Amino acid sequence: MHKRFRRLAVAGVAVLGLALAGCSGGGGDSAQTNENGDLVIDGELIATADELGKAQQEGNLVFYTGGSEQSEREAADAFTEATGIGVEIVRLAPNRLSERILSEQAAGKLGADVIRISGEDLIVGIADAGAFQPTTINKDIAGALDPDATYDNGLYFNSYDRVYSFGYNNMAVDEQDAPKNWQDLLDSKWSGKLGIVQVGAGGSTTALTRFQMGSLGDGYLKGYAANKPRIFDSSASLTDSLARGEISAGPVPIATAYASTLEGAPITIATPEEGAAAYPFYLGQAAGTERSAAATVFINWLLSASGQKLAASIGDYPVHQNMPNPTIGDIELPAASSGFLHRATIDESLKNLEPDADAWRKIFGYTG
């Protein structure tokens, strides 16, 4: 059993080394081929010998993602180590990435082989534009996935749930003054010291806004706005500003903030009593890709026990069943069934998307 509130402050080279060592188990160290030449990792069939051979012949993949640069690079490197297939990452904030995908798809020049993005409106728009094609998931992996993780008969998948909590700069904030819960951030002592990402940035901010309005109360965002937070265009830019001490505290995706701590950022991550917002990162194979075999192997690996363990090691909640609870360093996050996670369905998200966004903009006086 773990406490309802835990925090993580990462500092020093020793802690960094331990954290990186803890992530290595999700990569290619355990990769092996069986007597038939099939790629088997952690006891799961990722690709048959024929599938792997075709994938390797196709060459490097292009991976469009709205995930954090650090976490996606770690996943790509682990996949390359396991398969020998390189991954070129194109990373943009989800709203900007969606615009690029739809523009390229309309022109018949979609440059991605695999796409990962958050945001229910974004994923539905991309799917409706015909930018995905179905991916076959091998039986070992398909049988272990959460039944709700597969959409439209394999057109796209939920690859993990990322969590939006908050963090503070532990060099700028004394321990006795540190915020432990969401309500603590409404104290006037934080006036001019907070940050927040604008509501239209993507699925993460949509999920956070729904959580704040639905779970923290109608007045929460008004109280937060009263402290005159700095508004950012992305969680990455807010996290960077928090790391530099330009703001003292603010909402951050756990995985994004944790990746920053691994690079030495003085950020403490909270798991507050009121819980936190969870949001899916959807994954699919691009329509018309010339590297379909490699894309299929990559998606299978990302959804396999190996790929899902790596996701859990940076604070994301796996969709592969029977995985351990996510961790950030030596801190184990609450179980998915504990009530800590607050996650809306696609229908709920789409229903509240515009009303929540309109209300958010009025509260913060945002016109960008």
Side-chain angles (χ1 to χ4, degrees), residues 97-98 101-102 115 117 121-132:
L97 182 62
S98 174
I101 292 167
L102 294 177
I115 296 167
I117 194 168
D121 57 327
L122 303 184
I123 192 66
V124 169
I126 292 168
D128 287 349
F132 287 130

Side-chain angles (χ1 to χ4, degrees), residues 1-365:
M1 296 295 291
H2 47 72
K3 297 179 180 179
R4 289 286 294 156
F5 174 78
R6 291 179 182 265
R7 293 167 290 158
L8 174 68
V10 178
V13 176
V15 175
L16 173 60
L18 286 171
L20 290 175
C23 291
S24 64
D29 290 347
S30 58
Q32 59 181 343
T33 55
N34 62 16
E35 64 275 11
N36 297 318
D38 304 327
L39 179 65
V40 178
I41 306 177
D42 292 339
E44 288 183 338
L45 176 68
I46 306 297
T48 65
D50 183 57
E51 291 167 343
L52 181 60
K54 289 179 180 178
Q56 291 170 333
Q57 289 176 2
E58 289 176 349
N60 293 353
L61 284 163
V62 178
F63 183 30
Y64 281 15
T65 181
S68 68
E69 183 73 31
Q70 298 97 324
S71 62
E72 295 295 40
R73 173 46 55 198
E74 182 139 8
D77 288 348
F79 173 73
T80 299
E81 183 181 354
T83 64
I85 301 168
V87 180
E88 177 187 341
I89 295 174
V90 176
R91 193 273 165 191
L92 293 169
N95 57 335
R96 302 302 183 196
L97 182 62
S98 174
E99 292 171 1
R100 175 167 177 167
I101 292 167
L102 294 177
S103 176
E104 291 181 352
Q105 175 67 9
K109 297 181 179 180
L110 183 56
D113 299 306
V114 176
I115 296 167
R116 176 144 66 185
I117 194 168
S118 64
E120 281 67 33
D121 57 327
L122 303 184
I123 192 66
V124 169
I126 292 168
D128 287 349
F132 287 130
Q133 64 181 9
T135 300
T136 299
I137 303 301
N138 288 324
K139 290 182 179 179
D140 287 355
I141 300 166
L145 291 181
D146 184 326
D148 294 331
T150 301
Y151 296 85
D152 292 344
N153 297 315
L155 190 64
Y156 59 94
F157 306 86
N158 177 9
S159 58
Y160 53 71
D161 282 335
R162 185 151 287 180
V163 181
Y164 220 131
S165 183
F166 68 84
Y168 64 89
N169 185 303
N170 53 58
M171 297 295 289
V173 178
D174 291 336
E175 181 67 21
Q176 63 268 24
D177 297 324
K180 295 179 174 62
N181 293 300
W182 289 100
Q183 295 296 329
D184 295 341
L185 297 174
L186 303 189
D187 193 301
S188 60
K189 71 182 181 182
W190 299 106
S191 181
K193 299 178 181 180
L194 301 175
I196 194 167
V197 179
Q198 62 96 357
V199 70
S204 60
T205 49
T206 297
L208 176 64
T209 302
R210 178 89 300 265
F211 164 69
Q212 290 170 325
M213 288 184 166
S215 299
L216 299 182
D218 293 339
Y220 183 80
L221 283 176
K222 292 180 180 179
Y224 197 91
N227 277 332
K228 301 177 181 179
R230 178 178 168 185
I231 298 176
F232 294 83
D233 285 331
S234 71
S235 58
S237 59
L238 184 151
T239 303
D240 289 344
S241 184
L242 181 61
R244 291 191 294 265
E246 296 166 352
I247 58 173
S248 297
V252 288
I254 286 178
T256 303
Y258 179 53
S260 186
T261 68
L262 294 180
E263 296 182 346
I267 296 174
T268 296
I269 304 165
T271 55
E273 292 178 355
E274 306 101 321
Y279 57 101
F281 259 91
Y282 300 101
L283 176 72
Q285 181 173 169
T289 173
E290 296 180 354
R291 291 177 282 269
S292 183
T296 297
V297 175
F298 188 34
I299 290 172
N300 270 269
W301 182 84
L302 288 169
L303 296 176
S304 72
S306 182
Q308 293 285 290
K309 285 178 183 176
L310 180 58
S313 75
I314 58 171
D316 292 325
Y317 281 76
V319 294
H320 191 292
Q321 299 181 78
N322 303 317
M323 288 287 103
N325 291 339
T327 57
I328 44 176
D330 60 353
I331 302 298
E332 181 179 334
L333 297 180
S337 60
S338 68
F340 174 72
L341 298 184
H342 294 254
R343 178 174 175 247
T345 65
I346 284 185
D347 289 343
E348 290 169 338
S349 296
L350 293 176
K351 175 184 176 181
N352 290 293
L353 180 67
E354 288 303 323
D356 284 356
D358 289 344
W360 193 99
R361 293 187 183 99
K362 289 178 182 177
I363 290 170
F364 288 92

